[in-house]
Amino acid sequence: AAEVVAKVLAPYPIVLVSGLADGIDGTAQAVSLDHGVRNLAFLGHGVNTVYPESTARQRRLIPRQGGVVASEYPPAT
């Protein structure tokens, strides 16, 4: 369902906001990035930690495509 919704919304001027978690978050962000949608990943840990590892690709692509990876936590948290 996350994949379908991301594809349907991709033509619109949206920003996908998610936690970059495994599952729905990671799927929605991967599909939307593949369709040129800007993303904001708001992490539940420090920005220098890549977790879960299954979302590493999205983590690299988000800033390259004009998005932001942010966190309220200090690095290494």
Side-chain angles (χ1 to χ4, degrees):
E3 184 175 344
V4 171
V5 171
K7 285 179 183 177
V8 168
L9 293 177
Y12 297 94
I14 63 166
V15 175
L16 185 129
V17 179
S18 185
L20 198 57
D22 202 12
I24 291 173
D25 288 13
T27 299
Q29 287 187 288
V31 172
S32 65
L33 285 164
D34 290 344
H35 287 85
V37 174
R38 285 192 179 162
N39 280 243
L40 166 60
F42 200 78
L43 307 175
H45 49 74
V47 294
N48 63 329
T49 302
V50 178
Y51 179 82
E53 185 62 35
S54 62
T55 61
R57 175 183 167 270
Q58 295 93 304
R59 178 77 178 265
R60 286 189 307 273
L61 288 176
I62 289 170
R64 290 181 187 165
Q65 293 186 5
V68 176
V69 177
S71 176
E72 63 182 314
Y73 297 98
T77 302

